[in-house]
PDB file of all heavy atoms in Angstrom:
ATOM      1  N   LEU A 238      -4.667   8.403   4.828  1.00 85.00           N
ATOM      2  CA  LEU A 238      -5.503   9.475   5.292  1.00 85.00           C
ATOM      3  C   LEU A 238      -5.826  10.556   4.264  1.00 85.00           C
ATOM      4  O   LEU A 238      -6.882  11.035   4.119  1.00 85.00           O
ATOM      5  CB  LEU A 238      -4.669  10.195   6.479  1.00 85.00           C
ATOM      6  CG  LEU A 238      -4.626   9.411   7.784  1.00 85.00           C
ATOM      7  CD1 LEU A 238      -3.661  10.080   8.716  1.00 85.00           C
ATOM      8  CD2 LEU A 238      -5.963   9.328   8.434  1.00 85.00           C
ATOM      9  N   ILE A 239      -4.852  10.771   3.361  1.00 82.00           N
ATOM     10  CA  ILE A 239      -4.977  11.707   2.264  1.00 82.00           C
ATOM     11  C   ILE A 239      -6.102  11.132   1.285  1.00 82.00           C
ATOM     12  O   ILE A 239      -6.940  11.840   0.847  1.00 82.00           O
ATOM     13  CB  ILE A 239      -3.678  11.959   1.533  1.00 82.00           C
ATOM     14  CG1 ILE A 239      -2.733  12.767   2.410  1.00 82.00           C
ATOM     15  CG2 ILE A 239      -3.869  12.750   0.178  1.00 82.00           C
ATOM     16  CD1 ILE A 239      -1.345  12.881   1.833  1.00 82.00           C
ATOM     17  N   SER A 240      -6.020   9.793   1.057  1.00 77.00           N
ATOM     18  CA  SER A 240      -6.956   9.211   0.134  1.00 77.00           C
ATOM     19  C   SER A 240      -8.358   9.181   0.619  1.00 77.00           C
ATOM     20  O   SER A 240      -9.248   9.029  -0.145  1.00 77.00           O
ATOM     21  CB  SER A 240      -6.554   7.747  -0.201  1.00 77.00           C
ATOM     22  OG  SER A 240      -6.789   6.928   0.786  1.00 77.00           O
ATOM     23  N   SER A 241      -8.577   9.305   1.917  1.00 80.00           N
ATOM     24  CA  SER A 241      -9.857   9.313   2.435  1.00 80.00           C
ATOM     25  C   SER A 241     -10.582  10.653   2.507  1.00 80.00           C
ATOM     26  O   SER A 241     -11.819  10.695   2.791  1.00 80.00           O
ATOM     27  CB  SER A 241      -9.812   8.741   3.965  1.00 80.00           C
ATOM     28  OG  SER A 241      -9.240   9.756   4.810  1.00 80.00           O
ATOM     29  N   VAL A 242      -9.846  11.718   2.049  1.00 75.00           N
ATOM     30  CA  VAL A 242     -10.521  12.974   1.979  1.00 75.00           C
ATOM     31  C   VAL A 242     -11.597  12.977   0.934  1.00 75.00           C
ATOM     32  O   VAL A 242     -11.384  12.554  -0.158  1.00 75.00           O
ATOM     33  CB  VAL A 242      -9.424  14.063   1.603  1.00 75.00           C
ATOM     34  CG1 VAL A 242     -10.131  15.428   1.383  1.00 75.00           C
ATOM     35  CG2 VAL A 242      -8.478  14.193   2.744  1.00 75.00           C
ATOM     36  N   GLY A 243     -12.802  13.397   1.366  1.00 70.00           N
ATOM     37  CA  GLY A 243     -13.955  13.414   0.411  1.00 70.00           C
ATOM     38  C   GLY A 243     -14.698  12.083   0.323  1.00 70.00           C
ATOM     39  O   GLY A 243     -15.609  11.943  -0.378  1.00 70.00           O
ATOM     40  N   ALA A 244     -14.172  11.056   1.089  1.00 73.00           N
ATOM     41  CA  ALA A 244     -14.788   9.681   0.987  1.00 73.00           C
ATOM     42  C   ALA A 244     -15.960   9.547   2.015  1.00 73.00           C
ATOM     43  O   ALA A 244     -16.231  10.623   2.847  1.00 73.00           O
ATOM     44  CB  ALA A 244     -13.766   8.670   1.277  1.00 73.00           C
ATOM     45  N   SER A 245     -16.578   8.439   2.050  1.00 76.00           N
ATOM     46  CA  SER A 245     -17.657   8.185   3.019  1.00 76.00           C
ATOM     47  C   SER A 245     -17.115   8.140   4.402  1.00 76.00           C
ATOM     48  O   SER A 245     -15.884   7.995   4.596  1.00 76.00           O
ATOM     49  CB  SER A 245     -18.388   6.914   2.567  1.00 76.00           C
ATOM     50  OG  SER A 245     -17.543   5.806   2.840  1.00 76.00           O
ATOM     51  N   LYS A 246     -18.051   8.149   5.399  1.00 83.00           N
ATOM     52  CA  LYS A 246     -17.678   8.076   6.760  1.00 83.00           C
ATOM     53  C   LYS A 246     -16.898   6.743   7.045  1.00 83.00           C
ATOM     54  O   LYS A 246     -15.841   6.757   7.769  1.00 83.00           O
ATOM     55  CB  LYS A 246     -18.890   8.194   7.678  1.00 83.00           C
ATOM     56  CG  LYS A 246     -19.381   9.684   7.767  1.00 83.00           C
ATOM     57  CD  LYS A 246     -20.549   9.753   8.769  1.00 83.00           C
ATOM     58  CE  LYS A 246     -21.053  11.099   8.984  1.00 83.00           C
ATOM     59  NZ  LYS A 246     -21.533  11.718   7.733  1.00 83.00           N
ATOM     60  N   ASN A 247     -17.375   5.720   6.522  1.00 82.00           N
ATOM     61  CA  ASN A 247     -16.662   4.411   6.790  1.00 82.00           C
ATOM     62  C   ASN A 247     -15.289   4.364   6.145  1.00 82.00           C
ATOM     63  O   ASN A 247     -14.436   3.676   6.679  1.00 82.00           O
ATOM     64  CB  ASN A 247     -17.576   3.281   6.378  1.00 82.00           C
ATOM     65  CG  ASN A 247     -18.486   2.773   7.423  1.00 82.00           C
ATOM     66  OD1 ASN A 247     -18.358   3.067   8.519  1.00 82.00           O
ATOM     67  ND2 ASN A 247     -19.532   1.953   7.009  1.00 82.00           N
ATOM     68  N   ALA A 248     -15.074   4.946   4.979  1.00 82.00           N
ATOM     69  CA  ALA A 248     -13.815   4.993   4.352  1.00 82.00           C
ATOM     70  C   ALA A 248     -12.780   5.817   5.204  1.00 82.00           C
ATOM     71  O   ALA A 248     -11.646   5.471   5.387  1.00 82.00           O
ATOM     72  CB  ALA A 248     -13.983   5.634   2.974  1.00 82.00           C
ATOM     73  N   LYS A 249     -13.291   6.944   5.779  1.00 86.00           N
ATOM     74  CA  LYS A 249     -12.523   7.742   6.688  1.00 86.00           C
ATOM     75  C   LYS A 249     -12.164   6.916   7.922  1.00 86.00           C
ATOM     76  O   LYS A 249     -10.988   7.005   8.400  1.00 86.00           O
ATOM     77  CB  LYS A 249     -13.258   9.081   7.139  1.00 86.00           C
ATOM     78  CG  LYS A 249     -13.430  10.090   6.037  1.00 86.00           C
ATOM     79  CD  LYS A 249     -13.995  11.302   6.612  1.00 86.00           C
ATOM     80  CE  LYS A 249     -14.118  12.433   5.564  1.00 86.00           C
ATOM     81  NZ  LYS A 249     -15.108  12.223   4.587  1.00 86.00           N
ATOM     82  N   ARG A 250     -13.052   6.191   8.378  1.00 88.00           N
ATOM     83  CA  ARG A 250     -12.785   5.358   9.587  1.00 88.00           C
ATOM     84  C   ARG A 250     -11.804   4.273   9.283  1.00 88.00           C
ATOM     85  O   ARG A 250     -10.934   3.937  10.074  1.00 88.00           O
ATOM     86  CB  ARG A 250     -14.117   4.698  10.063  1.00 88.00           C
ATOM     87  CG  ARG A 250     -15.133   5.649  10.631  1.00 88.00           C
ATOM     88  CD  ARG A 250     -16.496   5.043  10.814  1.00 88.00           C
ATOM     89  NE  ARG A 250     -17.416   6.065  11.355  1.00 88.00           N
ATOM     90  CZ  ARG A 250     -18.793   5.888  11.160  1.00 88.00           C
ATOM     91  NH1 ARG A 250     -19.329   4.863  10.482  1.00 88.00           N
ATOM     92  NH2 ARG A 250     -19.623   6.814  11.655  1.00 88.00           N
ATOM     93  N   ALA A 251     -11.812   3.732   8.009  1.00 87.00           N
ATOM     94  CA  ALA A 251     -10.769   2.661   7.665  1.00 87.00           C
ATOM     95  C   ALA A 251      -9.403   3.234   7.703  1.00 87.00           C
ATOM     96  O   ALA A 251      -8.495   2.620   8.166  1.00 87.00           O
ATOM     97  CB  ALA A 251     -11.169   2.137   6.299  1.00 87.00           C
ATOM     98  N   ALA A 252      -9.246   4.537   7.173  1.00 88.00           N
ATOM     99  CA  ALA A 252      -7.941   5.171   7.160  1.00 88.00           C
ATOM    100  C   ALA A 252      -7.487   5.458   8.588  1.00 88.00           C
ATOM    101  O   ALA A 252      -6.280   5.262   8.990  1.00 88.00           O
ATOM    102  CB  ALA A 252      -8.055   6.467   6.328  1.00 88.00           C
ATOM    103  N   LEU A 253      -8.480   5.831   9.472  1.00 90.00           N
ATOM    104  CA  LEU A 253      -8.124   6.127  10.834  1.00 90.00           C
ATOM    105  C   LEU A 253      -7.736   4.942  11.589  1.00 90.00           C
ATOM    106  O   LEU A 253      -6.903   4.922  12.424  1.00 90.00           O
ATOM    107  CB  LEU A 253      -9.343   6.774  11.555  1.00 90.00           C
ATOM    108  CG  LEU A 253      -9.497   8.295  11.229  1.00 90.00           C
ATOM    109  CD1 LEU A 253     -10.837   8.714  11.827  1.00 90.00           C
ATOM    110  CD2 LEU A 253      -8.324   9.157  11.781  1.00 90.00           C
ATOM    111  N   ILE A 254      -8.296   3.790  11.281  1.00 90.00           N
ATOM    112  CA  ILE A 254      -8.054   2.510  11.915  1.00 90.00           C
ATOM    113  C   ILE A 254      -6.516   2.136  11.595  1.00 90.00           C
ATOM    114  O   ILE A 254      -5.779   1.615  12.438  1.00 90.00           O
ATOM    115  CB  ILE A 254      -8.912   1.345  11.504  1.00 90.00           C
ATOM    116  CG1 ILE A 254     -10.294   1.531  12.139  1.00 90.00           C
ATOM    117  CG2 ILE A 254      -8.346  -0.048  11.736  1.00 90.00           C
ATOM    118  CD1 ILE A 254     -11.394   0.669  11.578  1.00 90.00           C
TER     119      ILE A 254
END
Side-chain angles (χ1 to χ4, degrees):
L238 291 171
I239 292 172
S240 77
S241 70
V242 174
S245 67
K246 286 184 173 61
N247 271 344
K249 288 185 175 73
R250 289 166 184 158
L253 283 172
I254 284 169

